[in-house]
Amino acid sequence: RICQERLLEEKWLSAPSLRVGHQWLDIVTLANGPVLNVRIKTLKGLALDLAGLEMARQGVSLITATGSLILVDRVLKRLSISSSRYLSSLRPSPSLSRTVCSTIDALRLAGLEAQDLRPRCFEAPEKSEDLAYVLTEYLATLVEKSLIDCTAALSMATERLSKDPTALPADVLVVLPEDLDLGHMEQALVQALPAQVLITLQADQPREPSDDIPELVTDASLLLRWLL
């Protein structure tokens, strides 16, 4: 309906990935005909568009996923030499580095810093100190090498929108499905978007089970929640 009623306006469709976004457009095209002026953008891509000027001013570049993995791997090797705690007691491996790198990304997107990793929040209290060490060293190395991660780009983009609502062209519509799984920093960017450019798409949601229905434990019961 949006593509039909606002045919010629530029529309930025937010999707979990470019591949998924293009699949959505293929479905719309098959059902209703061609769509015009729709660009697929992840929130990371949108953030980079908005943060580009500030990144150029500061002389920083975005670190790649592979670069983050290499950086975390090097920090873990330093940790194994200097500590005998939780992470250093584990056998070094590519899978360990990927797991820790994913954890650091999740912590960053949640807006958490090293001081927020309290020992009482972990089953193994010493794990908090190791993660805090890795996070601190990771951020320090980014600064040293004039790099930023996706979370820093999201923060720059949010700050720019907060200070300058005209950072987005007035004739652009940002179309955002309501069921995207967003981290804290991504939610902050969405909330900073001007209300007049943001269109939220309703998405199918599963039905909440009634009180008299036992806990959903079978594949069939989980599937049937979607058949209202």
Side-chain angles (χ1 to χ4, degrees), residues 171-213:
D171 57 347
V172 166
L173 301 174
V174 179
V175 184
L176 182 77
E178 67 178 1
D179 63 341
L180 289 183
D181 185 17
L182 304 180
H184 173 75
M185 301 301 293
E186 293 167 321
Q187 291 175 357
L189 175 61
V190 171
Q191 292 170 1
L193 291 170
Q196 65 270 21
V197 307
L198 180 62
I199 298 178
T200 302
L201 292 179
Q202 292 183 347
D204 291 336
Q205 298 291 343
R207 181 178 183 178
E208 291 297 327
S210 303
D211 294 336
D212 58 346
I213 297 179

Side-chain angles (χ1 to χ4, degrees), residues 111-119 121 128 131-133 135-136 139:
L112 297 176
E113 299 181 0
Q115 60 267 28
D116 299 316
L117 305 181
R118 301 181 180 89
C121 298
S128 67
L131 283 177
Y133 173 86
L135 180 55
T136 300
L139 295 177

Side-chain angles (χ1 to χ4, degrees), residues 37-207:
N37 279 355
V38 181
R39 296 187 183 182
I40 307 300
K41 286 184 179 289
T42 62
L43 281 179
K44 174 183 176 181
L46 176 60
L48 290 174
D49 287 344
L50 292 169
L53 289 176
E54 181 62 19
M55 291 172 61
R57 188 187 69 80
Q58 295 185 16
V60 296
S61 303
L62 182 73
I63 190 170
T64 64
T66 301
S68 292
L69 181 59
I70 293 173
L71 196 159
V72 168
D73 184 71
R74 290 176 177 174
V75 174
L76 287 175
K77 288 180 180 177
R78 292 201 298 270
L79 181 65
S80 66
I81 297 174
S82 63
S83 171
S84 59
R85 290 184 173 274
Y86 185 87
L87 291 177
S88 57
S89 66
L90 302 177
R91 184 177 180 179
S93 67
S95 61
L96 175 62
S97 297
R98 284 193 296 269
T99 299
V100 175
C101 187
S102 177
T103 300
I104 295 300
D105 285 342
L107 291 172
R108 294 278 291 148
L109 285 174
L112 297 176
E113 299 181 0
Q115 60 267 28
D116 299 316
L117 305 181
R118 301 181 180 89
R120 61 182 175 82
C121 298
F122 294 81
E123 183 178 355
E126 61 271 20
K127 185 178 181 180
S128 67
E129 296 185 19
D130 283 0
L131 283 177
Y133 173 86
V134 174
L135 180 55
T136 300
E137 290 294 304
Y138 173 80
L139 295 177
T141 306
L142 288 180
V143 173
E144 176 187 337
K145 297 184 177 299
S146 298
L147 295 169
I148 63 170
D149 60 3
C150 181
T151 298
L154 285 165
S155 180
M156 286 182 182
T158 302
E159 183 177 0
R160 183 183 177 192
L161 280 176
S162 301
K163 294 180 177 179
D164 180 16
T166 64
L168 278 177
D171 57 347
V172 166
L173 301 174
V174 179
V175 184
L176 182 77
E178 67 178 1
D179 63 341
L180 289 183
D181 185 17
L182 304 180
H184 173 75
M185 301 301 293
E186 293 167 321
Q187 291 175 357
L189 175 61
V190 171
Q191 292 170 1
L193 291 170
Q196 65 270 21
V197 307
L198 180 62
I199 298 178
T200 302
L201 292 179
Q202 292 183 347
D204 291 336
Q205 298 291 343
R207 181 178 183 178

